[in-house]
Amino acid sequence: MQKILKTLVCKRVLILAVSGILLYIAVTYYQISLWYVLLAGTVTGLIFGKVFCRWVCPIGLIMELLMSFSADGKIRQMYQYHKLGCPIAWVSGWLNRFSLFKIELNATSCSKCGICDKKCYIVAMEPAKFSLYKPKGVRPGDSYTCSKCLECVAACPNGSLKYKM
């Protein structure tokens, strides 16, 4: 299962591009109501957490491309601000705490190498507040802002981070 997850995370931008373009076509060409899109975002939010932004959304694809042009935090912070006007981001972000799937840390196998924190864009924006492995840090996966890109889970060399029910 971990190997499948790592493969999906490596192909996430491609998955985002295909699903984002298909969603755009469904809404514009086939006139699918945005209410159905909101409902789908809510259901996926309840099950998986805030995955819509980083795995399906056409605007998420544009922001992902913008983020790839710069390694500094300014462009990464833009990714957060575009979500302010999106009701799917509001609902699924709120559902992160209640979703069935969570990012979990096995503290006994964690070597505290910090690779997960280096991969997490949430930790990069607020390193004093968030951490995946530090005991006093707020877990990004449960926060409103985490879009479940799962880079942290894929990067963990020990497999101490898991995305599971």
Side-chain angles (χ1 to χ4, degrees), residues 56-68:
V56 180
C57 181
I59 301 298
L61 174 62
I62 293 168
M63 294 309 298
E64 189 82 30
L65 294 172
L66 286 174
M67 282 175 39
S68 68

Side-chain angles (χ1 to χ4, degrees), residues 30-83:
Y30 293 107
Q31 305 294 307
I32 300 296
S33 172
L34 289 177
W35 288 108
Y36 291 122
V37 177
L38 179 61
L39 179 63
T42 302
V43 170
T44 58
L46 188 58
I47 297 169
F48 299 107
K50 191 178 181 180
V51 297
F52 192 86
C53 300
R54 294 278 251 186
W55 291 85
V56 180
C57 181
I59 301 298
L61 174 62
I62 293 168
M63 294 309 298
E64 189 82 30
L65 294 172
L66 286 174
M67 282 175 39
S68 68
F69 293 130
S70 175
D72 69 354
K74 290 178 184 173
I75 300 258
R76 288 178 183 251
Q77 287 173 349
M78 278 179 48
Y79 187 77
Q80 294 303 98
Y81 294 126
H82 94 276
K83 297 177 192 176

Side-chain angles (χ1 to χ4, degrees), residues 87-104:
I88 296 172
W90 300 341
V91 172
S92 60
W94 181 77
L95 290 171
N96 257 348
R97 284 184 244 144
F98 309 107
S99 64
L100 296 177
F101 282 81
K102 303 251 186 224
I103 298 172
E104 294 180 2

Side-chain angles (χ1 to χ4, degrees), residues 6-27:
K6 285 186 180 195
T7 303
L8 287 173
V9 170
C10 289
K11 307 268 187 226
R12 185 183 56 76
V13 176
L14 178 62
I15 293 168
L16 174 61
V18 170
S19 60
I21 290 168
L22 289 174
L23 179 62
Y24 178 78
I25 290 169
V27 169

